[in-house]
Amino acid sequence: GFSRVKLNGKTGFVSATGQALLPPMYDRAGNFHHGRAWVALNEKFGFVNQRGEVVIPLSYDRAKNFHQGVAAVQKEAAWGCINPIGEEIIPIVYDQVLQATDNRILVSQDGKWGFFSTDGEAITPIQYDQAYPYFNQKAQVVLDGKTFYINLSGSCVEGCE
């Protein structure tokens, strides 16, 4: 594993044996997840690999850790998701993007919620008044005051009329 180190206000990484992987040169950095760690310099975020190489350019205003193969990234006020090679799999147009659970990502836009797969496929329209992350392959959603559960395909499985 790798540890973050800070020197003169800059952050880098060292190996478990203390060998420098990435000299302290970034303003901030996250931990490694799925072989990638976010780094920030001059308020721009990108990702480095475990060899210390920048693999996703520092072009985002914010970035979150990779989880289930995707990372949420922000440009201006909008959020979306990228894969480990930096391809945008969920467009950077949403108000919020929550961490993936059961390989499903919950997004919101204009006060409504919907789901994408971690492959970037739309599972449901952005239509729910409230929605909660998947747990045990089901997600609780609220539409027009009615609460029910959907499966990984977005079909109602519990509380349906």
Side-chain angles (χ1 to χ4, degrees):
F2 300 98
S3 299
R4 283 180 295 181
V5 294
K6 212 166 180 106
L7 181 65
N8 299 325
K10 296 291 183 179
T11 302
F13 293 94
V14 294
S15 69
T17 60
Q19 184 175 358
L21 165 72
L22 188 61
M25 59 188 280
Y26 293 101
D27 298 329
R28 294 185 287 167
N31 292 320
F32 279 94
H33 295 271
H34 298 273
R36 304 281 185 266
W38 62 261
V39 293
L41 185 62
N42 301 322
E43 297 304 316
K44 289 295 178 184
F45 289 71
F47 290 85
V48 295
N49 64 17
Q50 292 179 324
R51 291 186 298 280
E53 303 161 333
V54 174
V55 291
I56 298 171
L58 282 69
S59 61
Y60 301 101
D61 295 325
R62 289 206 45 214
K64 296 183 181 179
N65 292 328
F66 272 92
H67 184 74
Q68 296 190 354
V70 297
V73 292
Q74 183 184 41
K75 282 190 176 180
E76 297 176 6
W79 286 90
C81 288
I82 58 172
N83 66 17
I85 58 173
E87 295 171 329
E88 190 177 299
I89 59 159
I90 295 177
I92 302 174
V93 298
Y94 296 98
D95 299 330
Q96 291 183 66
V97 172
L98 302 186
Q99 181 171 290
T101 57
D102 285 344
N103 292 308
R104 297 295 181 264
I105 301 159
L106 182 55
V107 302
S108 76
Q109 189 170 42
D110 300 324
K112 299 289 185 179
W113 295 86
F115 292 92
F116 279 88
S117 73
T118 52
D119 295 328
E121 175 189 350
I123 300 299
T124 69
I126 311 300
Q127 67 181 1
Y128 300 109
D129 302 314
Q130 289 181 302
Y132 301 90
Y134 275 87
F135 179 73
N136 289 335
Q137 302 185 349
K138 290 193 300 189
Q140 182 182 3
V141 295
V142 179
L143 183 63
D144 300 325
K146 182 173 171 20
T147 301
F148 55 98
Y149 290 84
I150 59 174
N151 64 14
L152 292 175
S153 301
S155 299
C156 185
V157 292
E158 190 178 317
C160 317
E161 286 188 337

